[in-house]
Amino acid sequence: MVDAAARERLLTVTELAAELGVTPRAVRFYEDKGLIDPARVGLTRVYGPRERARMLLILRGKRLGFSLAEIGRFLDLYAVDPRHLEQKRALLAGVRKRIAELEGMRVSLDRTLEELHAIAAQAEGEIAREA
């Protein structure tokens, strides 16, 4: 667990990556995509609490199956609306859409599993009869 002082300090790309369990390359990738915008101290990128929080949201969004474009829209809305109502509405719509997609995938997966179990049972029966 990261303490409050660690969350407030500036981190290098390597430190941020290690803290979040990703590679420095992944952090740079999200920077290249415009999802995070670290400050610079000389030639060194430094990541403060805002960029750390954005990275946490990006990683959570990816884990939940949102595209980078969708995540980018959620992050952009956060900066526009101080009460975050538009962000919450967009997030709700995105979450509902993702739930529908996953439920559709579950139905398809259940059908496929049923068919595979039937094929396995049939093959087992034929093998038992011939053995």
Side-chain angles (χ1 to χ4, degrees):
M1 192 57 140
V2 178
D3 64 22
R7 284 193 299 269
E8 294 301 318
R9 69 184 176 87
L10 296 178
L11 303 169
T12 65
V13 66
T14 304
E15 292 168 334
L16 180 65
E19 183 180 308
L20 299 178
V22 298
T23 64
R25 183 177 178 190
V27 175
R28 288 187 199 98
F29 173 79
Y30 295 124
E31 180 184 351
D32 290 344
K33 295 295 180 184
L35 298 175
I36 57 174
D37 186 24
R40 300 237 181 217
V41 175
L43 297 176
T44 304
R45 296 174 177 101
V46 290
Y47 301 83
R50 177 183 182 272
E51 300 315 311
R52 182 184 177 281
R54 288 174 72 90
M55 277 296 300
L56 289 169
L57 291 171
I58 293 164
L59 296 174
R60 184 177 187 200
K62 288 303 295 173
R63 191 172 52 255
L64 295 174
F66 291 102
S67 70
L68 288 181
E70 290 169 317
I71 293 168
R73 284 192 294 276
F74 297 148
L75 292 172
D76 289 345
L77 286 171
Y78 189 84
V80 173
D81 178 10
R83 294 183 333 169
H84 313 298
L85 289 177
E86 285 306 310
Q87 181 193 35
K88 290 173 187 171
R89 286 183 186 115
L91 178 62
L92 179 59
V95 165
R96 285 181 173 154
K97 177 182 172 199
R98 186 69 182 133
I99 288 170
E101 290 170 352
L102 289 172
E103 287 176 346
M105 291 169 74
R106 180 171 45 195
V107 167
S108 178
L109 181 60
D110 286 343
R111 286 183 193 143
T112 301
L113 284 169
E114 287 173 15
E115 189 172 345
L116 288 170
H117 284 298
I119 292 169
Q122 180 183 359
E124 287 170 347
E126 290 175 8
I127 290 169
R129 281 190 295 279
E130 293 181 23

